[in-house]
Structure formats: C-alpha cells, structure tokens
Amino acid sequence: MAAFDASTPRLSIAEKLWSLNWGLVALLTIIACYGFAMLYSAANGSLEPWAARQMVRYAVALVLMLGVAIVDIRFWLRSAYIIYSIAFVLLIAVEVRGAIGMGAQRWIDLGVIQLQPSELMKVTLILALARYFHGLTIEEIARPHRLIIPAILIVAPAVLVLKQPDLGTAMKLVLSGGAMFFLAGVRIWQFGAVIAAAGAALPLIWHHMRDYQKNRIYTFLNPESDPLGTGYHILQSKIALGSGGVFGKGFLLGTQSHLNFLPEKQTDFIFTMLAEELGLVGGLSLLALYTLVFIYGFAIALRSRNHFGRILGLGLTINFFLYVFINTAMVMGLIPVVGVPLPLISYGGTAMLTVMFGFGLLMSVYIHRDVRVGRFGENLS
Amino acid sequence: MKREIQRSTLLTRRALVLAGGKVALLATLAGRMYYLQVIEAKRFTTLADENRINIRLLAPPRGRIVDRFGIALANNEPTYRVEMVAEQAGDIQATLAAVDTLIPLSDADRRRVMRDLRRKHSFVPVSIRENLSWDEMARIEVNTPELPGVSIERGLARHYPFGEAVSHVVGYVAAVSEKELEGVDDPLLELPDFRIGKNGIEKAHDLELRGKAGSSQVEVNSLGRVIRELSRKEGEPGEEIALTLDMALQDLAMRRCGDEGSASCVVMDAFTGEVLALASAPGYDPGAFAAGLTPEQWKELSTDPRNPLSDKAISGVYAPGSTFKPMVAMTALENGVITTDTEFFCPGQFELGNTVFHCWKKGGHGRLSVRRAIKESCDVFFYHCADLLGIDRIAAMAKRFGLGQVLGIDIPGERAGLIPTTSWKKATTGISWQRGDTISCGIGQSYVSVTPLQLATYVGRLVTGRAVEPRLTRKQGIMTPGEAVAQVPDPAFAPLDFKPKHVEIILNGMFGVVNEPHGTAYHARIEDPAFAMGGKTGTAQVRHISLAEREHGLHKIQDVPWKERDHALFISFAPVTAPRYVCAVVVEHGGVSAGEGGAVAAPIARDVLLETQKRDPARRIPDNPLGAGGMVASR
C-alpha cells in the first residue's frame, strides 16, 4: 500500500482521467440535460436564447471540472487561502464599485461570462475552511479561540454579500460554513452557544434588513394576502406547480409558464416549470438524480484517506445540497423567496462554473483518495 | 495516528448525522410536492385556468324596428374605425402623420391617441378615428401595407334611415348611464360600446331588441394579451319589432305637420286600434343621439320653442275646443237631455247670471238642432246642453271615449290630460264647481285638456261604438300576403252601447262640417265622394281675449305674438260611408299660416286621410310600401 501511495502523485494525466469517477460525470450530464430541455421549453421551443448558450457553458464547465480534478489535491490545499483571498478581493471590488456609484452590480464582466464573486465565494469558503480544519488536531478544535479565524472566514464575506444585498447567498455561506464547523468536530454546546447568540442578534438583523427583504418574509408567512404584490411569485409558483399534477401538462405545454404567469422561469423558478410540464414524476425523478449525486459525494468524501479530502468532499456535497434544497423549497413555498438558482439547471454562467469547479474539487478528492497529506500539505509518504 | 483515527471517526459520525438531516429534508420536499401536485392539484388547476382564461362578451346585433310592411325604421349599419397597435406601428408619430395624409386627423384625435397609448399596453389596439366614411375607409385599406400596425375595424352602429320623420316613435339609443347600471345584472350593459334604448320603441322594447350576449373564451397571458380563442358561443340577435305604422303615411303626415311649424297628427285604424301614423313636428335626428350629441346640438334642441324633443302626439295636452262638441252632444243625447230634434235658439250669446258667454258667430245661429249645431259649431247650443247635463255626466262620458286618461300606447311619455269633475276642482283648488265652469267646459275650453292620441281614439270609439285602444306594435309581425284582415271592429274591444241613431246624427253632423256649405271645414273637403271624410274643427284658446280687445279688433291673429296664438285642431274619419280610418290634427298656435282650426288643421287631415284611403294600409299591402314617387327612398 505504501508503495502505491508513494506512486499516486506521479500518476500520469491519462491515468488520472482513467481513474475518474465517470458515473458521477454521467449523472451531472443527465441533470444538465434536464436543464437544457427546460430552457428549450422556456423559450417556447427554441434553443435561443437560453438552451444553446447553456450547453456551451456546460461544455466549458465540464472541461474546467476535469482540469480541476486532475490537479493534485495538495496543490488545492496549499492554494486554499490564496484562492479564498482572490475571491474575497473580488467581492470587495464589486462592493466598492457599487459604492462609488457604478450601480449595484453583483458581477464583474469578464467578456465571456459575468463573474459573480459571491457565487465563487461559496466554493472557496469551503476550500479555505477545509484547509483550516485539516490543520487542527482534535484537541485544538475543542479550544474556542481556534474557532475565531474560521468564524471570520465565514462572517466577513457573509456580511459583504448581505450588504449587496443578497440574503440567499449570505444564508448559504453561513449554513455551509456551520456545516463545516460541525463536521470538523466542534462541540455541540458551542453550536448551542452560537445559535443562542444568533437568536439574540435576530432583532438587530431584522432592524438592518431592507424593506423588500422584510416584505419577502411577511409574504412568505402569508402569500395569499397580497396576490398581486410581493406574494405574486410564490402564489404563481404554487399554482403552476400544483396544476401540473402527477404526470404534468406535457413538455412545452405548461400554460402558466408559457403565458408568463410564472416569473423568472428560466432561472430561479425553473423547477416550477419542470414540475408543471413533467408533473410529480418529473420533479421527483430530478430530485432522485440529485440524491444520487449527494450519495456519490458522501461516498467519495468518506472513502478519502486524508482529512482534507474528507472534510472538503463533505463540505462540497453539503453546499450542493443546500443549493438544491433552498431553491426547490423556495419554489414550493416552504421558505421565503431568496433568489438561489437550481444548480446545473438554472440559466446562468457563474453558478454553472462554480458548481462544476466544486465537482472538480470533489473529483480531485476522489482521484487522490489514497494520498496522505500532512498538516501543511506536505507529502507524508 | 490514534488521534487521526479519532478525528476521522468523529467526522464520519457527524457526516452520517448530516446525511440523516438531508434525508429528512429531501423527504420534506417530496412530501410537499405530493401535497401540491396530488392533494391540492384540483384547486391549483382551477386557479391556473382562472389565471389564463378570460371570458369576453360578444354583443348581439340589436333587433330591427320595421313598419307594418317591413320597411326598416331602425337597423344596424357597419361603421369603420382606424385602429393602431403601438408595438407593431413602431414610430407612432410617423404613423400618425402617414394616416393624416390619407384622412385628416384633428388635434383632439391626436391628443386622445397619445393619451390612450400611455394608458394601455402596447399590444392593445388604440382607436385613431371613428365613424369613417366609406371613402376614408377605402383610402386606409388600400394603404395598409405601408402602415404597419394600422388596421380598419368594422363595428355596428344603430342607424335610422328615416331620421327625424319617425324619431318620436322609434326613439333612439345612447350609451348606458351609471344610473341604468344599478341593480341590473345584464353584463352586456358594461360593454364599453353598448347602446341602450333611451326613448320611444327603442326604450319600451329594449329588452326584446337587445338580444342575448354571446361569449368567447380566450386564453390570455399574464399581461392580458389574447393568445388564442378556446371556444365561442354566439349570442342571440335581438328580436325584430314590427310597428303598426305605415312609413309612407308617417312621412306624409310629418311633412304636412312640418309645413305648419309645430304640429302633430295621429292616424289610426279604428277597427284594430293600429296607429298608422304618429307624427310630431318638428322631429330630431335620432342618429345624433346614438353617436353622442355635442353641447351645441343639445342646446339647440332643448331651447327650440317648437319643442322638437317632445312627442306632441302623445304628450302634448291641449284644450280640445269645439272638437269636444260631438262628445257633449252624445252625452246629452244618451242622457236624454235632448233628442235628435231638440232645438235651441242662438242669439249669439248665452247669459248666466251676470256673465255673458259668446257664440263665435256674432249675430248668432238662430234656432237649430244638434245636427246643425255640430256642422256650424254653434257654441250657444252646447252651452245649453252642458248646463243641462252638469260637468260630472260630461266627464263620465269623456272617460268612456278615452279622453283625459293614459291609453297605454307602447312608447313612454304619454300624458293623461284632464277631464275635470266637481270633486276634482274641490280637491285641487278648494273652490266649489261653478255653473259657469260647466258652460266653458261644454265647448272644450277652460280646464279640459286632451292629447292628439286621445282625440283620434275618441273618434275611433265614436265611429265603431267600441272602446278601441291605440297600439303601435304588431305582435303578429309585419303584414303578410293573404293575412286575414279585420273587416269589422275588433270584438275584443268592449262595446260602448251608444244608440245607433245618436251615433248616426252626430256622424251626420260631422259629415256636414266638411261636405256642406256653411260647414266649418267645407274648404277642406275631399272632392271624390268615394273618399269623403267627416270631421270637426276646434280652436284651443291659449290666452283669453278680452271683450275690449274683441271690440277693438285686436283679435286679428296676425297681431298676436306666435306663442300666444290659439291652437288649431281637427278630428276626422273616413270614408263617410263606412268609417274606418280616423285622424286627429293639432297645429300649435295656428301654424305658420296663422289660421283657425278649420283653416289650418283640416287640410292636413284631408291630405293624410285621402292618402290613407288610397293606400288602405289596414287591408292590403301596397305595391310600393314607401309611397308614390319613392319620396322616402331619396332620403
């Protein structure tokens, strides 16, 4: 085993690609195809303007994913903080640009795609936290002062994102960060303390929320009170989804989506459209595909023989799960409308790239599952 | 190494906890989907349909109104309007300028277009101009390829081919007012272009004419744009209403009345009560109401002293004057106060206490019986009759003749007029009835007032001996060839049980009025004996002429202002051998030719009754329903 371990870092690119988890790649591609179909339908049966571009994006993202996957896991460990820093700087850059009056843009125009640093932040945060917890012993984790740095790693971008304002992403950063803490072995009572503190801070947060954010929560609590105002999106989404029934209205035949009663049908509410046209059967089958992805993620993470890989894999899987859950729960009216896309399916470049970047890292964990990594990324063999 | 294993065991444990959490959350999602898509699916399907399906009303075409032979008096004509859809037109100003070169647009049109464009979605058509002439429509239609987004829309508008000639009977339609919407649940009324009957037959038979709304189910998107029609249910067109009028007679009566300024004329088939002409001049243009009157038009109509908006034939009330005398004669005969041979002496005046009542003939008529009294319209004879009868017996008979009461003709606006009684005077003025009051009422002056329709009905009842009731609509529809026509008075009308010899002597007197020298309407007789008519002249005092004025010769009619001149009346029947057609004419203020009853009103009746008998519309369908020379067709 030791000899094999020593040889893994020197695997050729071809060998690495060979050892890739192709089942997962196929699964992701099937899910993406669901997306292409729905984007085709959203454009009333046309590849333009969404489906064709989404296919190109997926192809690019797939190449990026494979590229990320074959890079040595230790490289990612060593670069974790640098990548985090770059994302953080970009986040500040959009914030500053917005502050100096160029409009409240959340993205940086790279020509090919419009990069949303907050989206990038979701993955890089997990990378950075995995790197940090990898370096801590179990005793060290028990010491509260060791948790100050990772807490800052989470809170700093969350606050910036909240100021954009983007409640959904901020919530996701805190949730996936919290999950990382939990996985790393932080004591349960410490979680209790943090939750209690957060509860105490809730009125303060409420006070600082924008009116439209408050409205979203109000209307979530009682959407039918104002069917033409802010409750419109939730109500229309439920109508479209519910009217789909068990087998749906048929591909391209979703009346609510195609008559524009359903808002944002190509982005945040694409799942509603899918459920309207393909019914309970279509919706549940997509959720089943996602569940398979989660299982793959867990299996890959737990199979890894280095702590960095395990915690990174689990973090990425949970991050992906949160994406899926928040979006679908939102369109079903289970949680307030927060503006989170459905990964691999919603139309959008950055989300696609970051999600695939995350899967690239997950596959890197898989390929390098038997690599032993020291506290600072040194080769232990 | 041991610590490493410890760390990894903890991680695995916690990963499993998280995995459990995920499973729980995924189960929640699946449960929620099941709830929405299976349990609540029906409710959401309904809501989805409510979202996308809009029901639009289709206005049914309004029923036509036709005369007894089927000539359209009110129908629907296509109207054209230019519409523009902003999102297809592109440059609005350029499009409007292009349209302007084809049909002139006023500044008001442009302002309205710009205002509508701001208010409506860009896919909703906006009307640029309405009521295009056929030429204008054609000019736009030919150029539509160069006018993107511009189209011609066809609609139906109420059209009145005879205009003011039959305006009072047919009435008019106009936009629904807020008040008319209250408490009515016919959704048609809420259509923006819907018109409702506001007067005449259009109002009285509005519900039948209106028809039933159709509906069209359309699928709309979230902005209300129509995507496609899902189903369509055509409405029921309104019923056709056939009137008893003969439009050719109506037109003649209108023109003859119009010649005298402000006058009315009623022609009726006494056997059936069918009104053949109901003219009130001047009329108004009912089409102007349907299109919407301008303030200037309204001012002109409402301030005209000749009162064009009023239907004088049913709502004008006048003292009947001497036309009342045959009725008083009948009262006296039937009550046994006089016989057909009773004579009174007329010295030219009648004294009652200190009051002197004059006969219109200064020297008096000498001794005369009822026949000559009617023929020469002797006032003194009827002063005697009235004095002997008392007002209440006269009033009771007047009621039997249909005077002073609403007769229930099927258009709105009928007025009752007044036949006074002793109790009426006591109740309204508090003063007891005086003998002198009876004397004035005996010759149809003072409190007595009637409508032209009542006068015609009164003659109809006199000639048939039955309680004939006038009507304007034919339940059986238009006359058809071979239709059984009434040869005797309709037995459905209650008999009045007059003694035949009383009727005979009165009709005989009325024959004399027109056909014998010294008769008050001898100049207006019909020369052809086959068409001869009988009648009675009358003058309704508008202003009391004092004795002083009489003596100074100031009563010359030309010296009196128009508004203060007396009304001229004439009642008549024809043919004298077997009376069937009856006619009443009232010329307000003696007309433009400023004559007395016999001089102005009788010639109108003569012309109309002669034409009526020649056409004989009660019995046959004329070859030319619109009358000789196509006089109406040229309108």
Side-chain angles (χ1 to χ4, degrees), chain A residues 251-298:
Chain A
F251 185 57
L252 298 177
L253 298 175
T255 54
Q256 303 304 294
S257 327
H258 288 124
L259 298 174
N260 286 329
F261 289 105
L262 184 65
E264 306 280 334
K265 60 176 182 282
Q266 80 281 15
T267 55
D268 291 358
F269 285 89
I270 198 162
F271 184 78
T272 306
M273 185 183 166
L274 182 141
E276 189 196 5
E277 296 196 346
L278 306 179
L280 183 69
V281 174
L284 285 184
S285 68
L286 181 67
L287 285 182
L289 289 173
Y290 277 127
T291 308
L292 280 178
V293 174
F294 308 146
I295 293 168
Y296 259 112
F298 265 68

Side-chain angles (χ1 to χ4, degrees), chain B residues 8 46 180 188 196 200 256 322 340 398 426 521 524 540 566 612:
Chain B
S8 109
T46 313
E180 286 158 330
L188 271 179
I196 189 175
R256 289 295 283 113
S322 300
T340 52
K426 184 80 186 160
D566 293 345
T612 306

Side-chain angles (χ1 to χ4, degrees), chain A residues 198-359:
Chain A
L202 216 55
L204 201 70
I205 295 168
W206 180 257
H207 186 72
H208 281 282
M209 269 206 256
R210 302 282 168 99
D211 278 345
Y212 86 93
Q213 290 170 327
K214 290 182 185 178
N215 270 338
R216 278 182 178 181
I217 290 169
Y218 282 138
T219 55
F220 162 69
L221 294 172
N222 188 10
E224 268 134 58
S225 65
D226 183 17
L228 289 177
T230 34
Y232 183 80
H233 287 194
I234 296 177
L235 190 64
Q236 291 301 331
S237 178
K238 280 162 73 179
I239 289 174
L241 204 136
S243 64
V246 177
F247 297 105
K249 296 175 184 168
F251 185 57
L252 298 177
L253 298 175
T255 54
Q256 303 304 294
S257 327
H258 288 124
L259 298 174
N260 286 329
F261 289 105
L262 184 65
E264 306 280 334
K265 60 176 182 282
Q266 80 281 15
T267 55
D268 291 358
F269 285 89
I270 198 162
F271 184 78
T272 306
M273 185 183 166
L274 182 141
E276 189 196 5
E277 296 196 346
L278 306 179
L280 183 69
V281 174
L284 285 184
S285 68
L286 181 67
L287 285 182
L289 289 173
Y290 277 127
T291 308
L292 280 178
V293 174
F294 308 146
I295 293 168
Y296 259 112
F298 265 68
I300 288 170
L302 294 178
R303 169 70 184 74
S304 175
R305 295 185 66 181
N306 54 73
H307 194 64
F308 177 69
R310 281 195 293 265
I311 199 161
L312 178 65
L314 288 174
L316 290 168
T317 308
I318 285 162
N319 179 51
F320 186 70
F321 172 82
L322 284 173
Y323 256 116
V324 174
F325 179 78
I326 291 176
N327 178 272
T328 48
M330 168 184 91
V331 303
M332 291 177 206
L334 285 172
I335 62 167
V337 174
V338 284
V340 170
L342 187 62
L344 296 172
I345 292 192
S346 285
Y347 179 76
T350 315
M352 175 71 85
L353 284 178
T354 46
V355 164
M356 293 300 275
F357 178 57
F359 280 112

